[in-house]
């Protein structure tokens, strides 16, 4: 047995689940976490998902009724998929601040191209 408390949250409706247990395990998961880092990850994740939803919602307006809407999905997903395939081989060589700036610039450029 590990001396650290289990971080896994109980399944909703399970006999072992209660709000007090859930709250204690949730707090244990974030012990020592920097609130600024948590907020930054939440914000970048939200922005990332919002852009995806906006592009998919506008698919019909972007390609018109004659072309399949899957073209918009592929144009949105393929660049990030390729990045996820090749980035593990070199991303450790780039500072974290530079990575963020590059990803923000690429996201902005992509949105400008779609617009």
């Amino acid at each position: 047995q590990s001396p650290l408390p289990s971080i896994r949250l109980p399944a909703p409706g399970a006999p072992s689940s209660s709000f007090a247990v859930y709250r204690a395990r949730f707090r244990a998961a974030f012990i020592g976490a920097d609130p600024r880092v948590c907020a930054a990850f939440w914000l970048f994740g939200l922005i990332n998902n919002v852009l995806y939803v906006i592009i998919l919602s506008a698919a019909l307006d972007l390609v018109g009724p004659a072309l399949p809407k899957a073209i918009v999905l592929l144009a949105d997903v393929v660049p990030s998929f390729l990045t996820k395939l090749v980035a593990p081989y070199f991303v450790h060589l780039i500072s974290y601040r530079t990575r963020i700036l590059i990803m923000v610039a690429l996201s902005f450029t992509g949105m400008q191209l779609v617009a």
Side-chain angles (χ1 to χ4, degrees):
Q1 280 281 353
S2 171
L4 297 174
S6 175
I7 295 178
R8 283 190 281 154
L9 299 175
S16 64
S17 69
S18 72
F19 186 69
V21 171
Y22 178 83
R23 185 175 49 199
R25 289 185 179 171
F26 189 79
R27 285 186 179 161
F30 289 98
I31 290 176
D34 182 5
R36 290 179 57 207
V37 172
C38 292
F41 271 98
W42 178 82
L43 183 64
F44 281 121
L46 178 70
I47 291 169
N48 184 33
N49 288 328
V50 165
L51 295 177
Y52 180 75
V53 169
I54 289 171
I55 288 175
L56 290 183
S57 297
L60 183 61
D61 296 332
L62 292 171
V63 296
L67 295 173
K69 297 356 150 234
I71 292 174
V72 175
L73 179 63
L74 285 174
D76 190 35
V77 172
V78 169
S80 64
F81 177 70
L82 294 176
T83 302
K84 290 173 187 176
L85 281 178
V86 299
Y89 297 109
F90 65 86
V91 76
H92 61 280
L93 301 173
I94 303 170
S95 73
Y96 196 74
R97 179 179 292 266
T98 306
R99 282 185 237 173
I100 295 294
L101 293 175
I102 289 171
M103 291 303 148
V104 167
L106 289 174
S107 180
F108 178 77
T109 303
M111 288 303 290
Q112 294 301 312
L113 286 173
V114 168

